[in-house]
Amino acid sequence: MPAISNKPYRVGRSKTGLGLFATKPIKKGTRIIRYFGPILDSKIPEQDEIENKYLFELNGRWTIDGSVRKNLARYINHSCRPNAESDVRPRERKVYIRAIRNIEPGDEINYDYGTDYFKAYLKPIGCKCDSCEKKRKKQRAEARAEAAKVKARAERKAQKAGAKSSKTKAAKKKKLNGHAVGKPNGRARA
């Protein structure tokens, strides 16, 4: 029988891979989880050259390497309209994730990763957060509607042009049928 956790979150499948989801209601202002891992010093060349997606910069010198398996906060995904934020405490060398609005059970916990991370990792592939997905979906729907309007306009224009040309052809036929056709010398035939 699986152990029941007191934690208000669980790791689960998300649109972008794995994510952290609320299992209990979390009130606004509540400290949810601590982001932790080895502290790296940028003044040490070997530590400054470490590259992974789980680095959390405390300040210009200190960075947390959150790639350790026990750090469940690393599963919190980015969102442009987050329900949590990072509470960075550089002097204590700690980072806490805190709710900025009420989070219901089943909601994915997310925070804004910041512009540097966004530009480096998310912008090239496109942000996959809910608000950006909804924005793109709306833009695609508007583009389809605009394309349909343009197509309908072109069809109406073609129909008008077709109707106009058939009227002029009919008018030309009318003049030719039953009337005298002029000869090259200008005399009319009876």
Side-chain angles (χ1 to χ4, degrees):
M1 199 154 120
I4 297 174
S5 174
N6 285 349
K7 310 256 186 235
Y9 51 81
R10 68 172 176 78
V11 175
R13 181 65 50 200
S14 171
K15 280 191 241 176
T16 56
L18 292 175
L20 202 66
F21 292 85
T23 56
K24 299 176 183 176
I26 301 172
K27 292 194 184 263
K28 178 181 177 179
T30 304
R31 194 183 285 174
I32 302 169
I33 191 170
R34 181 174 163 217
Y35 195 97
F36 68 91
I39 305 293
L40 305 176
D41 185 351
S42 65
K43 290 188 177 181
I44 302 173
E46 305 86 56
Q47 291 183 358
D48 193 38
E49 293 172 5
I50 292 176
E51 287 249 354
N52 71 50
K53 291 183 180 182
Y54 303 110
L55 297 177
F56 200 111
E57 190 175 291
L58 295 170
N59 56 27
R61 181 172 179 188
W62 303 106
T63 303
I64 296 175
D65 180 3
S67 63
V68 294
R69 287 280 207 198
K70 289 184 179 181
N71 178 25
L72 295 182
R74 74 188 190 139
Y75 294 111
I76 299 174
N77 289 314
H78 165 81
S79 177
C80 295
R81 295 185 55 109
N83 55 14
E85 68 181 1
S86 57
D87 181 11
V88 181
R89 300 182 177 194
R91 287 181 186 230
E92 299 171 26
R93 296 188 186 153
K94 292 182 181 178
V95 174
Y96 294 100
I97 308 302
R98 186 171 47 90
I100 56 173
R101 63 175 188 247
N102 292 334
I103 304 172
E104 298 300 318
D107 289 351
E108 185 174 3
I109 300 168
N110 46 48
Y111 65 93
D112 188 350
Y113 285 0
T115 55
D116 293 340
Y117 188 95
F118 187 87
K119 286 178 184 174
Y121 295 103
L122 300 175
K123 193 172 184 180
I125 60 169
C127 182
K128 305 245 186 293
C129 75
D130 285 338
S131 63
C132 288
E133 286 289 330
K134 286 177 187 174
K135 191 189 309 180
R136 276 194 296 274
K137 193 174 184 180
K138 183 180 176 185
Q139 287 172 342
R140 285 192 302 266
E142 289 171 352
R144 281 192 303 271
E146 184 61 33
K149 282 181 186 177
V150 168
K151 185 178 178 183
R153 245 186 260 133
E155 287 173 356
R156 283 194 306 270
K157 193 174 182 179
Q159 285 177 346
K160 281 183 181 179
K164 206 176 203 182
S165 68
S166 65
K167 282 182 182 178
T168 57
K169 284 179 186 175
K172 283 181 181 178
K173 278 186 180 178
K174 221 178 199 183
K175 287 180 181 177
L176 294 176
N177 292 339
H179 294 303
V181 179
K183 285 190 173 182
N185 63 7
R187 292 187 191 172
R189 183 189 234 187

